[in-house]
Amino acid sequence: MGIISNSFSTLPSPEYSSVDDNIADGLLPGPGNPCGYTTPVQIVVADPPGIQDDEGRSMAQLVHGIAPGAELFWASAGPQLGEMGTAITELQKAGVDVIVDDVILPGEPFFQESTISQQIAAVRAAGITYLSAAGNDTALARTPRPKQDVTPIGGWRTEQYRPVACDLDAKDPDQKSVLDAITSDALRQDAVSFDCLDFDPGEAVDVVSNITTLPAVVAVSDKEARLPIVFQWAEPFGGPEGTGTAKARFEMFVTFAGQGTQVIETLIPDSPLRSSSPTVDITNLLDPTDLTADELDMDITIVRYLDGTPESDLAPALGYIVPTDGLQWAVSAEYWRSEGPDEVGRSIVGHNGAPAAITVAATGATTDERLEMFSSIGPVRYFLGPEDDATGTAERLAEPRKIVKPTILSVDGSQQTVYPQGPETAPGVWRFYGTSSATPVAGGVVALALQLDPDLTPDEVETLLTETASPVASPYVSIADDDSVGAGIIDARALLTRVAEGLPPLPAGAPPVRMLPVTGAASVGTAWGAGVLGIGLLAVGAAVVVGRRQRV
């Protein structure tokens, strides 16, 4: 089992538990493990410099709790896309059967397979089952406007740019701020003309999309908040971080009421990628005597600049996400549900939605069968084919390709002893929430299935996961089941039973199958006994998988 995350062993001791502490407590394998699992986690890509939160070690604890006999390998993703690719490569060289990752790289392309996605396809073709966290970037309209529902509004995209005149009211201070910013930027870009996106998918025209926000939720100090926004359009990405030359020129302007207009910036002007964190002055939005943060309206305007050549007159798909990693910054939105060519709320992007990855969403281990409010949703849509490594180009698809995501639901809220990421349940023990927690739990179940039948292919593993899952309904009226909860919640008992039923009977006189029971002491049994043991391990080591459904 290969694990990819930020870091494994950078937290200082004794303030935090060490790897040796975890081994001594039986929470990780290694010399001195009291249950007899003495093969330590193998480090194939070392941690980056600096102290991280060692989330990768928390993930390893969850995998070990479910499949303690699995040999674990660690690879840090590092801060750059290229290092993520290195992590995958090195784990493949190490001979792993399964890889899980919880890495979110918002700089990956929305509208075509990223280089990491293509690498995932390659390792899956080589026999490695790959599971990736869906992400925690759903923001709900928790106080919807009249005649609206509580539904995800943290992302938006449309299949085609709809150009209209930038009809902004110069008498309105906020709209005048937008118009001044557009005009100034047009001069900077040497544009011959410009137009604006019509956000209204119907017959009306609207060049401003309004969202009511809670900026204090993303505060970086008592005076300032920053809301991360990633904006892209469907032109060839040109490399791991959007280094290609885009023919069209789009810019996204964000205006917080009474605070002026900011443009979503780019480090590479010719890239179809814009990414920055507009700042918000929250000095007057935080009342120490009021526990409810104040709301603030945010207006979005998207502009296309034309240089007079046909090449710049493009109308591709475009969209944005707000990757706040679970922070519920949204209150309501003018455009709150998908309609016509527009999709609202979608936030699974990049390799996390790769066609070859099993994309894992989160449901609470100690709650009812509902999707966690932050768990990212799909679908993924490609408008371009895979990028050619040599030329950096990609062919435009005749029809958009829809990839149904997420694949499966797994539980979060498991306990770990690495870092205070969630509520403390005992001294030095904390809940671990998010798809970063759900994904290694799913990976541990996959490991049990492969221990029972090592000949299972990645395609067979995914089919078994989805066919034996317990279906649940989407919690949102406007979002389909497939796009929010996938096939449903992993049912470990049903999965392992199905795998065991497919095993051939042992030939007469064959030696019994050797296995490790929960204590780690050597034992023997039949092939079916191994399946029952796997369920037993699950019940003891990870009751969060099925315990609340009374299946073990």
Side-chain angles (χ1 to χ4, degrees):
M1 169 75 72
I3 300 168
I4 304 175
S5 188
N6 55 4
S7 66
F8 186 79
S9 182
T10 65
L11 289 173
S13 179
E15 294 95 322
Y16 300 95
S17 69
S18 67
V19 173
D20 288 342
D21 293 334
N22 296 167
I23 293 171
D25 291 338
L27 301 175
L28 287 179
N33 178 290
C35 298
Y37 300 103
T38 57
T39 301
V41 178
Q42 304 297 308
I43 309 299
V44 299
V45 178
D47 293 336
I51 296 174
Q52 307 289 325
D53 62 11
D54 288 358
E55 190 159 275
R57 182 148 48 102
S58 298
M59 295 170 69
Q61 286 190 0
L62 300 192
V63 174
H64 185 66
I66 296 171
E71 188 173 354
L72 303 183
F73 294 78
W74 162 254
S76 171
Q80 304 296 327
L81 283 173
E83 294 172 80
M84 176 72 179
T86 298
I88 295 173
T89 297
E90 294 304 313
L91 288 174
Q92 183 179 14
K93 288 180 181 178
V96 301
D97 303 296
V98 183
I99 296 176
V100 296
D101 91 70
D102 74 335
V103 180
I104 307 297
L105 300 167
E108 290 186 278
F110 295 176
F111 300 111
Q112 66 184 100
E113 278 194 77
S114 70
T115 54
I116 302 301
S117 297
Q118 294 177 62
Q119 193 171 0
I120 291 172
V123 299
R124 176 161 172 159
I128 298 173
T129 300
Y130 196 106
L131 298 92
S132 187
N136 308 321
D137 292 327
T138 285
L140 293 182
R142 291 182 293 166
T143 310
R145 302 177 189 187
K147 298 182 180 181
Q148 295 185 358
D149 298 318
V150 175
T151 193
I153 59 171
W156 178 92
R157 66 172 172 243
T158 186
E159 292 185 3
Q160 187 174 29
Y161 178 75
R162 298 184 292 268
V164 294
C166 296
D167 188 12
L168 295 159
D169 184 0
K171 295 181 180 180
D172 180 292
D174 288 333
Q175 293 200 21
K176 184 179 185 302
S177 172
V178 180
L179 191 58
D180 289 346
I182 292 172
T183 304
S184 175
D185 203 49
L187 293 173
R188 180 182 64 83
Q189 300 215 30
D190 294 325
V192 173
S193 62
F194 58 83
D195 48 38
C196 285
L197 170 71
D198 179 10
F199 277 97
D200 193 312
E203 295 182 359
V205 174
D206 188 359
V207 298
V208 177
S209 175
N210 175 262
I211 301 175
T212 303
T213 71
L214 288 173
V217 170
V218 288
V220 294
S221 71
D222 59 357
K223 296 182 179 180
E224 182 179 280
R226 296 176 187 168
L227 188 66
I229 298 176
V230 182
F231 167 57
Q232 294 185 22
W233 63 91
E235 283 199 77
F237 215 61
E241 296 181 296
T243 56
T245 300
K247 296 177 181 178
R249 292 291 182 272
F250 292 95
E251 301 296 347
M252 181 175 175
F253 295 89
V254 174
T255 305
F256 289 97
Q259 298 195 22
T261 298
Q262 302 172 63
V263 64
I264 304 303
E265 299 174 351
T266 179
L267 298 177
I268 307 170
D270 290 338
S271 165
L273 163 69
R274 304 287 185 264
S275 178
S276 62
S277 298
T279 58
V280 190
D281 182 353
I282 58 172
T283 305
N284 298 320
L285 298 177
L286 289 175
D287 181 354
T289 65
D290 184 0
L291 297 179
T292 303
D294 290 333
E295 300 174 359
L296 186 68
D297 275 0
M298 176 179 74
D299 290 339
I300 296 173
T301 302
I302 295 175
V303 179
R304 178 180 66 169
Y305 293 107
L306 301 167
D307 62 12
T309 65
E311 287 76 17
S312 68
D313 189 8
L314 296 178
L318 43 74
Y320 66 85
I321 61 170
V322 184
T324 56
D325 196 23
L327 298 177
Q328 294 298 306
W329 58 271
V331 177
S332 66
E334 178 182 7
Y335 298 101
W336 62 282
R337 63 181 176 185
S338 299
E339 184 176 349
D342 298 355
E343 291 182 320
V344 178
R346 277 52 175 170
S347 52
I348 297 177
V349 297
H351 79 274
N352 309 95
I358 295 172
T359 302
V360 183
T363 182
T366 57
T367 59
D368 58 18
E369 298 173 347
R370 68 174 183 268
L371 184 71
E372 293 280 29
M373 69 165 64
F374 50 74
S375 191
S376 292
I377 62 174
V380 172
R381 291 191 193 275
Y382 292 150
F383 293 80
L384 301 167
E387 188 171 286
D388 184 283
D389 290 336
T391 64
T393 61
E395 296 294 326
R396 188 167 299 278
L397 301 177
E399 295 290 337
R401 178 188 176 192
K402 177 181 177 180
I403 297 95
V404 175
K405 295 290 178 177
T407 312
I408 200 80
L409 273 178
S410 178
V411 295
D412 69 350
S414 304
Q415 299 179 92
Q416 49 82 33
T417 66
V418 178
Y419 188 71
Q421 299 165 318
E424 191 170 26
T425 59
V429 182
W430 300 276
R431 293 283 181 191
F432 181 12
Y433 288 102
T435 56
S436 294
S437 171
T439 304
V441 168
V445 175
V446 170
L448 290 178
L450 288 171
Q451 287 173 344
L452 194 55
D453 184 357
D455 294 329
L456 290 173
T457 67
D459 288 350
E460 290 170 333
V461 168
E462 181 169 352
T463 298
L464 286 164
L465 279 172
T466 56
E467 288 186 351
T468 61
S470 178
V472 295
S474 170
Y476 313 118
V477 174
S478 60
I479 307 293
D481 295 352
D482 284 349
D483 299 332
S484 56
V485 296
I489 302 173
I490 291 177
D491 185 333
R493 177 187 288 273
L495 172 68
L496 297 175
T497 300
R498 177 80 69 85
V499 174
E501 289 172 348
L503 294 175
L506 291 174
V513 176
R514 189 172 182 82
M515 66 188 83
L516 287 175
V518 175
T519 61
S523 180
V524 295
T526 65
W528 169 243
V532 174
L533 174 63
I535 298 170
L537 287 175
L538 188 62
V540 175
V544 293
V545 177
V546 292
R548 65 182 170 86
R549 298 182 56 78
Q550 301 299 312
R551 290 204 172 102
V552 296

